[in-house]
Amino acid sequence: MKKHIRVLGPCALVLGLAGFYLLQPDVAATERTASGNPAHACQSVVAPLAGTHSQVLIQGNRFTMGHDNAYPEEKPARSVTVDDFYIDTHEVTNAQFAAFVAATNYITTAERQPDPALYPEIPVHLLVPGSAAFIKLSDRPKGQWRDWWKFIEGASWRQPNGPGSTIDGMEHYPVVHVSYHDAKAYADWVGRELPSEAQWEFAAQASAKLEHANTWQGHFPMQDKALDGYDGIAPVGCYSADDSGLFDMRGNVWELVSDVFTGPAEGQTESMAQAVSMRVIKGGSFLCADNYCQRDRPQARQGQEEDFSTDHVGFRTVSPIKTDAVSE
């Protein structure tokens, strides 16, 4: 959409008109291992899942939401009660989103021409349809190893790498390059809702115990050893389901939820935060590594612009059951 990124995307980095803002690693690097890689069973698991809107029942309860000793935006740890609800077994796929678009002729945020009145700080000639994508080290210009995000003019859910690219053969992959507005439109169409942050975090608790997930093995951003079977996004259901029967609540792609993200995201100033409407994203992505962005945990959270998209943010839905969360 915009030819720059006004705000830090998930795992926090800004792409400005003039260049990139790099954050230092969060902790000392330690390498993950993925013995017994489950990815070989992917296709047999994906086929029966991806064409459906299967859900599992999550029986509500009281739980401790948030964390006091990790990233600042996870504070405070507090007691929250969530009622019973149903949640998708996996992230919404390209095939499912394509059915929505075919039925409604919906045009995603990334495919629309931005309204200059909404972005007075951006030169008009830079306001073009598109989306942001992670650029592998091997594909970056020599000497630009830090520049791992790029706004790609024309990139969208159906053209993930820009004009000429396609999702043919990727029907079972999570749909990406979708904004919060796109995700909500899909949820409305299918008669469901985006999960609240409390619902999502409560449902994800069982995933914290999983040994395998689609994350980054190696020192980010220099080398992904792909010990988990993928060096980027993976089809849904390639890794073991958790005890609740949910796939990919950890890693693969960040997932949009309905809650507004208040306050600055990592690396934002207060003025930036006030200028941009943000929604919470959960779960981390294939870019989460031990030396950087350790957010593939249930409590972790980030802010994502409502009107912007990337190639590592998707979503799943919940059934419209009243599930008001109450902090105590």
Side-chain angles (χ1 to χ4, degrees):
M1 202 189 82
K2 302 175 282 294
K3 199 143 187 171
H4 81 308
I5 296 181
R6 294 178 303 185
V7 74
L8 298 189
C11 293
L13 52 159
V14 169
L15 285 77
L17 290 169
F20 299 83
Y21 179 90
L22 174 68
L23 293 177
Q24 296 300 314
D26 295 308
V27 294
T30 56
E31 184 176 310
R32 299 181 193 270
T33 59
S35 58
N37 173 21
H40 67 279
C42 179
Q43 293 306 317
S44 62
V45 174
V46 167
L49 282 177
T52 70
H53 286 90
S54 60
Q55 293 190 313
V56 298
L57 172 65
I58 301 296
Q59 295 184 326
N61 207 334
R62 183 173 302 199
F63 77 110
T64 299
M65 183 175 177
H67 202 293
D68 285 329
N69 299 309
Y71 291 95
E73 67 272 12
E74 298 172 24
K75 297 179 180 179
R78 67 273 191 197
S79 180
V80 172
T81 299
V82 175
D83 295 332
D84 296 353
F85 62 97
Y86 288 90
I87 188 169
D88 294 351
T89 56
H90 60 79
E91 299 137 337
V92 172
T93 65
N94 284 319
Q96 292 171 324
F97 197 80
F100 158 61
V101 171
T104 64
N105 294 317
Y106 182 83
I107 300 174
T108 62
T109 301
E111 297 171 289
R112 301 174 196 167
Q113 181 67 40
D115 181 356
L118 298 177
Y119 311 103
E121 77 282 10
I122 303 175
V124 174
H125 72 281
L126 295 179
L127 290 172
V128 295
S131 188
F134 177 78
I135 306 300
K136 295 179 181 179
L137 181 63
S138 59
D139 296 330
R140 298 171 213 155
K142 185 176 181 180
Q144 296 183 15
W145 68 270
R146 293 183 174 185
D147 299 346
W148 62 73
W149 283 100
K150 181 180 181 180
F151 181 88
I152 300 178
E153 184 174 347
S156 68
W157 73 275
R158 64 177 90 228
Q159 296 185 135
N161 298 313
S165 62
T166 179
I167 55 170
D168 289 350
M170 299 179 66
E171 291 81 4
H172 302 325
Y173 283 68
V175 63
V176 292
H177 293 300
V178 288
S179 70
Y180 164 79
H181 299 302
D182 303 330
K184 187 177 186 306
Y186 174 91
D188 290 343
W189 175 74
V190 80
R192 296 183 178 174
E193 300 172 352
L194 294 180
S196 69
E197 183 175 5
Q199 287 176 322
W200 196 100
E201 187 167 325
F202 182 68
Q205 291 183 108
S207 294
K209 302 176 183 178
L210 290 177
E211 180 180 358
H212 303 299
N214 185 20
T215 55
W216 185 285
Q217 291 86 50
H219 191 96
F220 183 90
M222 305 302 294
Q223 180 187 34
D224 183 1
K225 298 182 179 180
L227 300 178
D228 58 9
Y230 288 89
D231 65 353
I233 192 172
V236 301
C238 283
Y239 303 86
S240 300
D242 63 24
D243 290 343
S244 297
L246 299 177
F247 294 88
D248 299 321
M249 295 292 279
R250 175 186 164 213
N252 208 21
V253 296
W254 286 90
E255 299 185 18
L256 288 151
V257 299
S258 62
D259 294 54
V260 173
F261 186 93
T262 58
E266 184 177 345
Q268 274 191 306
T269 64
E270 284 287 354
S271 61
M272 291 170 66
Q274 293 172 4
V276 180
S277 296
M278 308 279 284
R279 296 285 170 165
V280 174
I281 53 175
K282 302 283 284 183
S285 76
F286 59 86
L287 300 179
C288 285
D290 281 342
N291 73 298
Y292 180 79
C293 188
Q294 294 182 322
R295 287 188 168 90
D296 55 325
R297 299 173 293 106
Q299 303 90 345
R301 60 200 302 269
Q302 258 285 5
Q304 171 74 13
E305 292 180 81
E306 287 185 353
D307 63 348
F308 199 71
S309 58
T310 77
D311 68 346
H312 72 327
V313 175
F315 68 100
R316 73 181 73 206
T317 66
V318 296
S319 289
I321 302 173
K322 296 298 182 181
T323 53
D324 295 333
V326 180
S327 297
E328 299 169 346

